Amino acid sequence: MGSCGTWAWQELLVLLSSLWLWVGSAQPTPPGPTHAPGPQLKFRLAGYPRKHNEGRVEVFYNDEWGTICDDDFTLANAHVLCRHLGFVAATGWAHSAKYGKGVGRIWLDNVNCAGGEKSIGDCKHRGWGNSDCSHEEDAGVICKDERIPGFKDSNVIETEQSHVEEVRLRPVVSGARRQLPVTEGIVEVRYKDGWAQICDEGWDSQNSRVVCGMMGFPAEKKVNRNFYKQAKSQPKQKRREDIGSKKRLFSERQQLNYRLHSVSCTGTEVHLSMCTFEFYRGNASAACGAGMPAVVSCVPGPLFATGNAHKKKQRQQQQGQPRIRLKGGAKVGEGRVEVLKNSEWGTICDDRWNLLSASVVCRELGFGSAKEALTGARMGQGTGPIHMNEVQCLGTEKSLWSCPFKNITQEDCKHTEDAAIRCNIPYMGYENLIRLAGGRTAFEGRVEVKRGSKWGTVCSDGWTTKEAMVACRQLGLGYSLHAVTETWYWDASNVTEMVLSGVKCAGHEMSLSHCQHHSASLNCKNTGTRFAAGVICSETASDLLLHAPLVQETAYIEDRPLHMLYCAAEENCLSSSARLANWPYGHRRLLRFSSQIHNNGRADFRPKAGRHSWVWHECHRHYHSMDIFTHYDILTPNGTKVAEGHKASFCLEDTECEEDVAKRYECANFGEQGITVGCWDLYRHDIDCQWIDITDVKPGNYILQVVINPNFEVAESDFTNNAMKCNCKYDGHRIWVHSCHIGDALSEEANKRFEQYPGQLNNQIS
C-alpha cells in the first residue's frame, strides 16, 4: 500500500505539473499590462452635443484623465464601459470623435472585450498609454437609459468638471425677454444646478462667433459694451427712475457667479468646449474684477429674422438662386447636402466630410454651426451627378464653393455615400404650443394646440399628409406617417374644445400657426372630439422617384385595335372620347413607355389602405392597393392638359433591388405590397394602362409629365422630386421624347429654358 501509494502520488504530481505547463503555454500573452489597480479607474461621459447617457468616454488612470481610441472598437466594449458608468447596457457606440476631440492622454487602444468583463482593464488592449491614435479617433458610447439598481455615481470627480456642455444666452433687456429667438444676451454655462457667467476679459468676435453658431445664428455683430457696463455700475436710485423706460435691464438683479475666464476661440469651433479657457477655482464671487459678464449679439438667418431685416434678406435672396440646398430632412436645418453645378443639382460624397465643412454649409444657409456631419446617405440617397468629393473646409469660408474639393469619377463614389448635415437652429419654442394626447406611443395621438392660454383640438376637415408633416416637425418627432381624421380611440384627454380649423399647409412650415387657418371664428363640419385631427409620426420615411432616362429610352407610339382594349376601358385607361368610338372597330393611338419607380428613402413605401380594402383587377390579375398612384399627362408649354393617362390604382412590388437588398413585396397570391428601400417597381411599356391615350392630340410640341403619389396619400421625406418632365415633339405620326428630368433636378434658369422650349424643327435632337 505504501509503495503503491507513493508511486501514484508521484505520477499525479507529474501529470499536474505537465497540465499546468500546457495551460500556461496555451493562453495568449497580452501585449501589455491589462489590469490596473481598481481604485484608480474612474469614468465619465464628455463632449457635445449629447444627452446624459451618451458621449465621449474618458477614463481616469494614473491621476490623469484620458480617452479611448476607436480602433477595433465594438459594442461589447461599449457594454463594459456603460456598466462602469452605471447603465445596464449599451445601445451603440460612436467613432471618429463624434462628440468632439478630447485632450490629454489616449489611455487605451485596440480594446477587445467579450462583453462580460467587470472592468475595461480586464479586456485585451495594447497596454495603458500605448496608442498610435490621435484625438480625432476618440471613441464614444450610447448607453441604454436605464440605471443599474443601487448604483452610486461615485466614479465622476465632481470637483474637476473640466468640461463645458450646456450654454445659453440670457436676455437682459425687458423687450428681448419676451421675443424669440433670443439674439442678444449674457453668455452663461451650466454649472451644477444653475448657471454661471464668463468673464469677458480678452473676449473677442471669434468667441462670439462660436457662441452664435451654437445658438443657431450664422454670424455675430458688435455689442454696445458700454451700455451693459453702465447698467452694471448704475446706482439703485437711478435704476428706480428708469423703471418706465423702454430698455430696462435685469442683469443687476442677479448675483454674478463667474465660472470661466481667458476664453480663446479661433472662430471655427462648433462648440465652446473646443476653445481654450480656464476655470475659476474655489470662491469666484470676487473674480473678473476689471471685466464684466461676456455679452454676445447675433445676426439671425433669413428664416428667423423679423421686420425690415427679414424683408431685406428676402430681396437679397431673390436676386439670385442659391447654389446649395438641403433635401430629405424632417426638421428645419437638416438634410442631404445638394449643390448646383452646370445648371444641375447634385450631391456631395462623404469622403473626409467633417464638422468644419458641415458648419460652412450651415452658416451659408442661414443657420448656426453644425451639430452633426452625417455620412452614408443618412438623409436618403440623392440622384443625378455627385459634384464634390473630399471637401476640406477650414471653417472660415463664406461658401462651400470656396473650400478645396475634388471632382470625382463614377468609380469614386455612389449615392450610398451622400453627405448630410444637422445644423444648430435658434430656439423658437414652437414645440411648447403643440402636444399629442391618447396615443399608444409618444409618436402618435390626437393633436392639441395652444391658442393664447387655452389648449384645444384641431378640426380634421381637410387634414392631410401635408398638415400632419408640419405637426410632426413642430413636435420634433420626424416625418408624418399618417394623417388621422377620426380620433375617437385616442380620446384620453380632458380637452374637449376645438380651437383651430381650416388648416392648410404647404408642408415646409415650422409650425401649424404658420399655415393658412381660420381666424378667431371656427368653421368645422364636425366639432366633436371624435373628429379631431391626429397624427402618427415616424423618424424615417420613404422617398419615391422615377428613373427619367428609362422613360426617354422606351417611349413609342402604338395604334392599338379597340377589340384589344375592353379591359383597359373598364379601368378608365382611355380618354373620354373612346366611349363614342365604334367598338370593336377602329383603334386608339397610345404613347407607351416604361416606368421604373425607385425608393431612395429610409423606410419602405407601404400603401395607405389595409389589405381588407384592396381591389381585385381582372385585367392585371392582381389586387391594387392604391386608388391613385400616378398621373400621366401631356401638357402644352403653358401647362394646359391635352391628354391624361389613367389614374387607376397600381399593385406595388419589388421588381429588382440593389446588391445585398432582399425583396420583401410581391403582388402574386395576395402578397404584401410595397417598395423596399433600395428596390424599384418596374411597369413595363407593354402592360395594359402603361400609356397615355393621345388619339385626340394634334401635332405640336408638348411636355410629358409623370407624377408619383400625386395626392400625397403616403408620407415621403421629399415630395419635390415626385414629378418627372420631358420635352416631346409629335408630328401626327411619330413622337420624339427628350430632356427627361426629375422636377427639381435643374436650376431655375434651366427650368425656364425647358418650359420656354420653342420646339423641334427636325428629328435631330442634340
Side-chain angles (χ1 to χ4, degrees), residues 542-553:
S542 60
D543 184 20
L544 297 188
L545 53 101
L546 195 68
H547 185 55
L550 187 65
V551 174
Q552 188 167 312
E553 292 162 10

Side-chain angles (χ1 to χ4, degrees), residues 71-225:
D71 290 352
D72 301 330
F73 207 86
T74 64
L75 189 62
N77 299 356
H79 282 313
V80 176
L81 287 164
C82 284
R83 286 198 296 273
H84 270 306
L85 293 157
F87 298 96
V88 293
T91 59
W93 61 278
H95 59 87
S96 305
K98 176 187 173 181
Y99 299 102
K101 293 186 285 187
V103 293
R105 300 286 295 273
I106 298 174
W107 277 125
L108 293 173
D109 190 7
N110 300 112
V111 180
N112 185 5
C113 301
E117 293 86 350
K118 290 186 176 179
S119 169
I120 196 75
D122 296 335
C123 303
K124 296 174 186 174
H125 55 78
R126 291 178 58 153
W128 289 92
N130 183 8
S131 169
D132 59 359
C133 299
S134 70
H135 280 295
E136 290 182 348
E137 301 167 86
D138 284 345
V141 293
I142 302 103
C143 301
K144 187 177 181 182
D145 195 5
E146 184 181 337
R147 303 293 285 180
I148 295 171
F151 181 86
K152 291 182 180 177
D153 200 4
S154 59
N155 62 353
V156 175
I157 301 177
E158 290 292 340
T159 54
E160 185 71 24
Q161 285 201 338
S162 60
H163 50 282
V164 173
E165 292 171 10
E166 202 174 342
V167 180
R168 74 173 185 184
L169 274 187
R170 178 168 62 84
V172 293
V173 179
S174 58
R177 289 167 70 86
R178 290 189 295 271
Q179 277 188 333
L180 289 175
V182 175
T183 58
E184 182 172 312
I186 292 175
V187 185
E188 295 187 328
V189 296
R190 172 72 75 180
Y191 180 51
K192 295 184 178 177
D193 295 327
W195 294 89
Q197 294 75 43
I198 302 173
C199 180
D200 75 344
E201 289 177 347
W203 188 271
D204 61 17
S205 62
Q206 303 295 0
N207 299 353
S208 297
R209 176 179 166 82
V210 172
V211 172
C212 287
M214 291 175 65
M215 298 297 111
F217 303 112
E220 76 292 344
K221 64 181 180 181
K222 197 171 182 180
V223 180
N224 182 358
R225 192 169 178 270

Side-chain angles (χ1 to χ4, degrees), residues 463-476:
W463 185 256
T464 68
T465 300
K466 285 191 172 183
E467 287 72 41
M469 281 169 64
V470 176
C472 290
R473 181 179 299 122
Q474 187 177 352
L475 286 158

Side-chain angles (χ1 to χ4, degrees), residues 628-648:
I628 299 174
F629 183 59
T630 55
H631 283 180
Y632 298 158
D633 298 305
I634 297 286
L635 313 172
T636 63
N638 67 5
T640 304
K641 290 182 183 179
V642 294
E644 296 180 43
H646 82 99
K647 298 179 182 178

Side-chain angles (χ1 to χ4, degrees), residues 4-5 70 75 96 114 116 131 165 214 263 294 338 349 374 500 525 533 634 639 668 675 758 762:
C4 184
D70 61 12
L75 189 62
S96 305
S131 169
E165 292 171 10
M214 291 175 65
V263 178
E338 296 191 351
C349 187
L374 302 169
L500 191 62
K525 289 178 188 173
I634 297 286
I675 306 176
N762 54 47

Side-chain angles (χ1 to χ4, degrees), residues 474-640:
Q474 187 177 352
L475 286 158
L477 296 178
Y479 307 94
S480 157
L481 197 59
H482 291 297
V484 184
T485 53
E486 281 195 42
T487 53
W488 52 269
Y489 43 85
W490 283 337
D491 191 13
S493 168
N494 57 3
V495 172
T496 56
E497 188 177 350
M498 193 166 281
V499 295
L500 191 62
S501 66
V503 180
K504 187 175 177 62
C505 303
H508 57 75
E509 296 89 347
M510 289 185 275
S511 165
L512 286 176
S513 61
H514 296 168
C515 304
Q516 294 180 31
H517 58 271
H518 295 149
S519 54
S521 57
L522 295 177
N523 185 3
C524 188
K525 289 178 188 173
N526 299 295
T527 55
T529 53
R530 116 170 240 167
F531 296 103
V535 292
I536 301 175
C537 304
S538 172
E539 290 179 318
T540 56
S542 60
D543 184 20
L544 297 188
L545 53 101
L546 195 68
H547 185 55
L550 187 65
V551 174
Q552 188 167 312
E553 292 162 10
T554 57
Y556 64 96
I557 286 177
E558 180 193 8
D559 289 337
R560 193 163 181 82
L562 282 173
H563 69 83
M564 300 175 70
L565 292 172
Y566 278 104
C567 200
E570 287 177 19
E571 293 199 22
N572 295 316
C573 295
L574 303 174
S575 62
S576 55
S577 64
R579 290 197 298 269
L580 306 175
N582 186 23
W583 292 77
Y585 308 105
H587 67 269
R588 303 299 292 181
R589 177 157 289 181
L590 308 174
L591 170 59
R592 310 195 72 148
F593 51 88
S594 296
S595 291
Q596 188 172 297
I597 297 165
H598 291 245
N599 182 0
N600 281 11
R602 292 186 292 145
D604 293 355
F605 184 92
R606 299 298 309 278
K608 182 180 179 181
R611 292 167 70 99
H612 64 281
S613 60
W614 293 357
V615 179
W616 173 258
H617 281 248
E618 190 64 34
C619 293
H620 292 159
R621 306 294 298 168
H622 56 226
Y623 285 91
H624 286 189
S625 57
M626 289 187 71
D627 289 336
I628 299 174
F629 183 59
T630 55
H631 283 180
Y632 298 158
D633 298 305
I634 297 286
L635 313 172
T636 63
N638 67 5
T640 304

Side-chain angles (χ1 to χ4, degrees), residues 636-657:
T636 63
N638 67 5
T640 304
K641 290 182 183 179
V642 294
E644 296 180 43
H646 82 99
K647 298 179 182 178
S649 55
F650 276 64
C651 173
L652 303 172
E653 68 177 358
D654 297 328
T655 309
E656 293 292 339
C657 298

Side-chain angles (χ1 to χ4, degrees), residues 41-53:
L41 280 188
K42 298 176 189 291
F43 297 86
R44 70 183 180 195
L45 292 174
Y48 63 88
R50 67 180 189 86
K51 297 174 184 173
H52 67 283
N53 58 323

